[in-house]
Amino acid sequence: MSSTEPTELRHTALDALHRSLGATMTDFAGWDMPLRYGSERDEHLAVRTKAGLFDLSHMGEITVTGAGAAAFLNFALVGNIASVGVGRARYTMICQADGGILDDLIVYRLAETEYMVVANASNAQVVLDALAERSAGFDAEVRDDRDAYALIAVQGPESPGILKSLTDADLDGLKYYAGLPGTVAGVPALIARTGYTGEDGFELFVKPGHAVELWQALTKAGEGVGLVPCGLSCRDTLRLEAGMPLYGHELTTSLTPFDAGLGRVVKFEKEGDFVGREALEQAAAKAQENPPRVLVGLVAEGRRVPRAGYAVVAGGEVIGEVTSGAPSPTLGKPIAMAYVDAAHAAPGTEGVGVDIRGSHEPYEVVALPFYKRQK
């Protein structure tokens, strides 16, 4: 096939349903995904105040099994995966030998010798290939399970009540970053209390053949409490307000976890070597002595919206770069995440602006996240 020919977009099991709901579709990492169903702002605010329903079936599930699975994942990833209890999950990263971030991941321990690694859609193949390569010499099997799952998320303060009406699973006992097998509306599912919105919520891993009936059951259960279907656009503004990084924006192969302010995910105390250990030890020492640019929040004083790649300026000098920017429905102002020189990173630093098409728009430097839910 020539490089000029468009590649076929992949479709989730809910594709026809999204179209029947009038979704605006978009190409996201090779998948045809719903961008929005109506108003992005309304979808965003529904998740903050009531509940939203997301199709996340584009995420990449990779199963790792075998007696050596824990030891293998400890070698392949930067976190201490062996210490994760059965039924729990952990946020972690997979890095290159030079410490650059290949992807950020959630790893679920499903059983004593079985794990599920969930990668970002854009990096799923890269992560799969890296894990397969790194598994040499370990008693562990790496399996591509991307086609074995559909993933539906229900997020927002009303989500526990909606889900409780459809399952006998012990949701009250299900902690944040934990998962348990259960049945939701008669559909077998892995019920995980994880999400990417800054709200309480659940992610439901099911067989693709069950996705439509589960979506419809959740929609019906949420009718009385304001549940709405939500697209990728509001998912992005929700995670931005919550200060959560997005691969390709805040995280890239040219940055280490320490550059991203996420050095806490690197567990040097675990036994044995792991890919990137030496480079990351050097990055950790450098970050302590002389921190490079720091990831901060920026809040606009005006109405102009900053976008990824825009220069952050102070005193006529470029001091950083915007990684993500959007209007914040919760704050009512444009916001951004940016890497800036450490000298300008303290909350309240004055004289900082963003170069928006030649005009230096004033911004306030704030600590991340912009939004934190009340427990």
Side-chain angles (χ1 to χ4, degrees):
M1 190 171 82
S2 81
S3 59
T4 54
E5 287 181 38
T7 50
E8 192 71 28
L9 286 179
R10 298 184 72 178
H11 299 275
T12 78
L14 294 160
D15 184 71
L17 195 148
H18 297 315
R19 292 169 196 280
S20 75
L21 292 171
T24 299
M25 306 296 284
T26 189
D27 174 358
F28 184 81
W31 291 81
D32 207 11
M33 298 297 293
L35 187 63
R36 71 182 78 81
Y37 298 85
S39 154
E40 293 165 12
R41 185 176 177 277
D42 289 351
E43 291 172 25
H44 179 111
L45 294 174
V47 176
R48 285 278 178 258
T49 59
K50 295 165 185 163
L53 193 57
F54 296 83
D55 178 11
L56 305 180
S57 303
H58 60 313
M59 299 296 279
E61 296 87 4
I62 301 160
T63 303
V64 177
T65 55
F72 157 59
L73 288 171
N74 261 16
F75 168 74
L77 311 179
V78 300
N80 189 351
I81 308 305
S83 69
V84 178
V86 173
R88 298 306 302 263
R90 184 156 297 166
Y91 176 78
T92 188
M93 294 182 185
I94 181 167
C95 289
Q96 300 177 147
D98 67 0
I101 303 164
L102 278 174
D103 201 15
D104 61 336
L105 313 164
I106 296 181
V107 179
Y108 298 86
R109 189 169 196 168
L110 304 180
E112 195 59 37
T113 59
E114 183 181 4
Y115 295 81
M116 181 167 66
V117 177
V118 181
N120 285 296
S122 56
N123 294 330
Q125 191 64 49
V126 169
V127 173
L128 182 68
D129 292 346
L131 289 176
E133 187 183 316
R134 294 174 189 188
S135 67
F138 288 93
D139 182 8
E141 183 196 343
V142 176
R143 187 173 74 233
D144 180 0
D145 268 349
R146 283 176 287 182
D147 293 335
Y149 292 102
L151 177 55
I152 295 173
V154 54
Q155 298 278 302
E158 297 288 352
S159 57
I162 292 167
L163 207 56
K164 273 182 192 173
S165 71
L166 297 173
T167 184
D168 293 334
D170 177 20
L171 297 187
D172 290 334
L174 186 64
K175 296 184 174 74
Y176 186 50
Y177 266 72
L180 83 170
T183 304
V184 182
V187 169
L190 171 66
I191 305 166
R193 199 164 207 152
T194 45
Y196 193 52
T197 62
E199 297 299 335
D200 192 10
F202 303 87
E203 295 182 320
L204 308 170
F205 295 86
V206 299
K207 287 181 178 171
H210 291 148
V212 171
E213 64 178 297
L214 179 58
W215 180 283
Q216 290 172 334
L218 288 162
T219 300
K220 196 165 190 311
E223 271 173 1
V225 291
L227 174 83
V228 301
C230 293
L232 292 180
S233 187
C234 85
R235 180 172 155 86
D236 192 48
T237 52
L238 288 159
R239 70 93 196 166
L240 177 55
E241 286 184 351
M244 294 175 168
L246 176 63
Y247 196 88
H249 290 255
E250 289 73 40
L251 309 175
T252 68
T253 50
S254 64
L255 296 168
T256 72
F258 294 94
D259 295 324
L262 290 165
R264 65 181 180 275
V265 306
V266 182
K267 302 301 182 188
F268 293 121
E269 69 275 16
K270 64 180 175 177
E271 280 182 34
D273 196 16
F274 61 90
V275 177
R277 180 191 270 275
E278 193 179 332
L280 289 167
E281 283 172 345
Q282 291 170 7
K286 187 178 157 199
Q288 271 188 324
E289 288 164 27
N290 182 22
R293 288 182 167 176
V294 178
L295 188 64
V296 300
L298 299 174
V299 178
E301 292 179 22
R303 310 301 309 167
R304 297 184 74 184
V305 179
R307 298 296 182 194
Y310 285 12
V312 182
V313 292
E317 299 287 319
V318 174
I319 58 150
E321 186 177 298
V322 171
T323 52
S324 297
S328 164
T330 305
L331 276 63
K333 298 174 179 180
I335 59 172
M337 284 200 275
Y339 283 108
V340 302
D341 293 346
H344 298 273
T349 300
E350 294 184 353
V352 172
V354 175
D355 185 340
I356 300 181
R357 297 186 192 87
S359 169
H360 290 187
E361 301 289 326
Y363 274 74
E364 181 190 355
V365 179
V366 300
L368 292 169
F370 300 97
Y371 166 84
K372 207 165 191 174
R373 72 182 170 97
Q374 303 302 308
K375 294 283 189 227

